[in-house]
Amino acid sequence: MIWRIFMTALLALTLVWGNGAAAGTLAENNEILFRQLQKVHGLSASEMQAIRNIFAKSGFMGQGNPKITRHPMTPEQCAARVPGGVRSYDKARNRRICGDRYMAPLYDPATERPEDAKACIDMFEFPNIPCTYPVVWVKAVEAAQVCSAMGKRLCDAHEWEGACDGALQAPDYPFGAGSVAAMRGIHNRKYAASAHWAYGPSFKRGVCAQNSEKSASCGGGGYNSCGSNTYPTGAFPDCVSKLGVYDQHGNAAEHMNLPMTKDQMSSRGSTKLGVTEMKGSWFIWDKYRAHPDWCRWRAPYWHGSRVMSPASHENYHLGFRCCKTVN
């Protein structure tokens, strides 16, 4: 039944986005998205209302400004590229461990089994449904609120990094360093010699959702000038980590929580959280590499703020994914 519902929603998206351009209004496209979220993830009416309220308050959140967004691939084309079909992404073992569809256990394969995982991470960028476009124009605080509404949480930086590098390691934030820049320098020096991408030890073009185009009108990053020209999530099945997490390079960059003290760690139950960390690269990376994007690389404090600040950053290629504590 869930599979038939998902395919119906996928067909609806194909009709809306079938020529690569967004045919509906933002509200119309979000309505399709909301129906997908409720059916695929089994969300309650109250959970859906909370998510609708977050989107409504934003006025920009969605899969891109439909007036100028031009997607290079349709959801239907995405589904045709997945070996075994989209259904193959729905792992029974993962659902048993994580308690949700399309999540992957976070653990260290050298010492642990998947069943030992204490947390899980979304396999795809939100809405965490394969062959849908990532939600962008979302602030960090809105990302945290949406995750919470779904019974999840915004990931800590080390969780995203472990998911990408194929092994969750114990958090080692140098809290005493005194600043984001100092903490970043210590961390990046530690891992630079072992730099790794989700798919292997060196950067490769053509593996991930990174060969789209930036809008010709996109200069300063404005909503009315920059199309969110993303691919459907999961459209590049080889862009996957050893833990089974997709699209951590390319498509949309992602908000994460960078704790500055132990009591700001989402993975330890904090809801006040730390500062913003932007993970991954974006949809033109095969053509233009603006910065490193190896799995454990931490970015400069671009557009930095507290995660829960109402002024946290949003843009046309910035989305998020959620984590969930399970043990």
Side-chain angles (χ1 to χ4, degrees), residues 26-315:
L26 180 64
E28 290 167 345
N29 294 339
N30 279 349
E31 189 58 39
I32 293 173
L33 172 66
F34 296 148
R35 292 200 297 269
Q36 282 188 297
L37 277 170
Q38 186 163 24
K39 298 297 185 181
V40 174
H41 292 303
L43 301 179
S44 68
S46 61
E47 289 170 331
M48 281 308 309
Q49 189 58 56
I51 291 171
R52 286 175 176 274
N53 290 345
I54 296 164
F55 273 68
K57 186 176 180 181
S58 162
F60 296 97
M61 287 177 65
Q63 291 155 311
N65 180 350
K67 293 182 179 180
I68 56 174
T69 289
R70 298 294 182 269
H71 296 290
M73 186 185 297
T74 67
E76 184 180 48
Q77 290 167 335
C78 169
R81 290 168 55 90
V82 181
V86 176
R87 177 179 284 180
S88 66
Y89 283 134
D90 190 4
K91 310 292 185 183
R93 183 205 68 180
N94 288 4
R95 276 193 280 120
R96 184 176 66 253
I97 295 169
C98 301
D100 276 298
R101 184 171 270 106
Y102 305 126
M103 296 197 81
L106 287 172
Y107 65 103
D108 184 353
T111 59
E112 297 175 307
R113 304 169 303 151
E115 292 78 9
D116 297 323
K118 295 180 173 58
C120 293
I121 189 170
D122 288 348
M123 292 169 60
F124 308 99
E125 298 148 324
F126 184 84
N128 193 34
I129 301 171
C131 292
T132 60
Y133 301 112
V135 167
V136 291
W137 287 108
V138 53
K139 297 180 179 180
V141 61
E142 294 163 342
Q145 290 168 345
V146 169
C147 290
S148 178
M150 296 184 69
K152 303 179 184 182
R153 56 179 175 79
L154 200 62
C155 306
D156 285 337
H158 79 280
E159 294 178 300
W160 190 99
E161 293 159 4
C164 182
D165 212 19
L168 180 68
Q169 296 183 358
D172 61 347
Y173 302 100
F175 292 130
S179 70
V180 175
M183 289 175 63
R184 172 182 181 268
I186 292 168
H187 176 88
N188 286 353
R189 286 191 295 272
K190 176 178 178 179
Y191 291 105
S194 60
H196 199 270
W197 284 255
Y199 47 76
S202 59
F203 173 79
K204 295 181 180 179
R205 289 180 169 84
V207 177
C208 296
Q210 300 180 159
N211 199 36
S212 187
E213 302 284 343
K214 189 175 179 179
S215 301
S217 58
C218 186
Y223 183 77
N224 291 314
S225 58
C226 294
S228 300
N229 303 331
T230 51
Y231 293 83
T233 57
F236 291 79
D238 292 333
C239 189
V240 59
S241 77
K242 291 181 179 179
L243 295 188
V245 183
Y246 293 81
D247 297 322
Q248 291 186 275
H249 310 292
N251 230 15
E254 301 175 31
H255 284 297
M256 292 293 140
N257 175 52
L258 180 64
M260 299 299 292
T261 58
K262 286 184 180 179
D263 66 353
Q264 295 176 356
M265 293 177 64
S266 170
S267 55
R268 294 189 178 180
S270 174
T271 56
K272 68 179 184 179
L273 306 182
V275 299
T276 53
E277 166 77 3
M278 297 183 196
K279 290 298 190 187
S281 53
W282 52 296
F283 56 76
I284 63 166
W285 220 244
D286 281 357
K287 298 181 175 73
Y288 176 69
R289 296 177 66 191
H291 55 74
D293 78 328
W294 42 274
C295 287
R296 297 193 189 273
W297 183 76
R298 288 187 187 160
Y301 196 38
W302 293 318
H303 309 287
S305 72
R306 294 295 301 268
V307 169
M308 301 306 288
S309 168
S312 55
H313 184 58
E314 60 188 339
N315 71 35

